[in-house]
Amino acid sequence: MVRKPDRKPSRVERIELWLSRGREIDGLWVGTREAEPHPALRRVEEALRLIKDHDALHYSRVIRNLERVWVYLLPSALAHYNSSLNACVFDERFVLAETTTLQMIASTIIHEATHARLDVWGIDYDETIRYRIEAICLRRELNFLSKLPDSEHLQEEIVRTLEWYATKQDYFSDLNNQERDDQGAPETFRYLGAPDWFVRCAMWLIRRRHARASR
């Protein structure tokens, strides 16, 4: 079943998008909140070109199912699918890391575009089936990577990830996702140049929120 998902970006998201810089590539908006000269944006563009050159089918799905690829800051994830924006959102640090290859960025775009496709089909990201959804997305990555030269090592990593997720299906629970966000918050604040006193205050507020929630 195909549906039209309810897209309702928050006010903060709309402001952040407005402050971003980007351009359209084959109808797909690709943007970033990073400062000039936007090196992460260039890497994403190169990764899209890699998909286009090696896998026309997956590239057409990316263009058809996603509206945006956005380089931002994520506290605990390398990337995720934002349904309200219909966007593959990358963590800036992941895109810019020396250990991150164009193959990794490209396969991640395939992963998040698969989330978008499932969203249109009416498959909600419910806790009870999150492992199965993630497994589908990882297998799409494997299918794409099989068409790239010298990608055996990355394929092996994804196979190991699939095996690990099968034994840790609660990894994707709301509680665990929130805990990872909270744990990643300090480094995100420091990356933005926040002073230590601000980081301490932010973590105190997070701990206070947890205390109230556990009552």
Side-chain angles (χ1 to χ4, degrees), residues 24-158:
E24 285 199 359
I25 299 176
D26 294 332
L28 179 70
W29 182 84
V30 183
T32 182
R33 282 287 283 116
E34 64 178 333
E36 292 185 13
H38 312 314
L41 182 60
R42 291 201 301 274
R43 298 207 77 200
V44 170
E45 291 173 343
E46 290 169 1
L48 285 168
R49 193 175 305 116
L50 183 69
I51 300 172
K52 188 174 184 177
D53 290 345
H54 288 86
D55 195 329
L57 175 60
H58 271 114
Y59 187 74
S60 69
R61 289 175 176 171
V62 169
I63 298 303
R64 183 169 66 251
N65 292 300
L66 287 172
E67 295 179 37
R68 302 175 177 90
V69 179
W70 191 23
V71 179
Y72 193 60
L73 278 175
L74 303 174
S76 63
L78 306 180
H80 73 197
Y81 171 63
N82 183 315
S83 180
S84 65
L85 297 175
N86 193 24
C88 165
V89 183
F90 278 105
D91 182 73
E92 177 183 313
R93 293 163 293 184
F94 168 67
V95 177
L96 293 175
E98 293 183 359
T99 54
T100 300
T101 65
L102 288 181
Q103 290 179 335
M104 293 168 67
I105 297 171
S107 68
T108 301
I109 293 172
I110 299 296
H111 184 115
E112 305 308 338
T114 306
H115 276 295
R117 194 178 186 201
L118 295 174
D119 191 28
V120 170
W121 284 351
I123 301 174
D124 294 322
Y125 197 60
D126 187 85
E127 276 188 291
T128 59
I129 60 171
R130 281 179 191 169
Y131 159 70
R132 291 164 58 192
I133 291 174
E134 293 297 335
I136 290 170
C137 296
L138 286 168
R139 291 189 183 102
R140 285 295 88 203
E141 287 192 66
L142 283 174
N143 180 270
F144 164 69
L145 289 169
S146 68
K147 300 175 175 64
L148 297 186
D150 304 319
S151 66
E152 291 80 11
H153 178 68
L154 188 52
Q155 291 181 58
E156 291 170 1
E157 285 187 6
I158 292 176

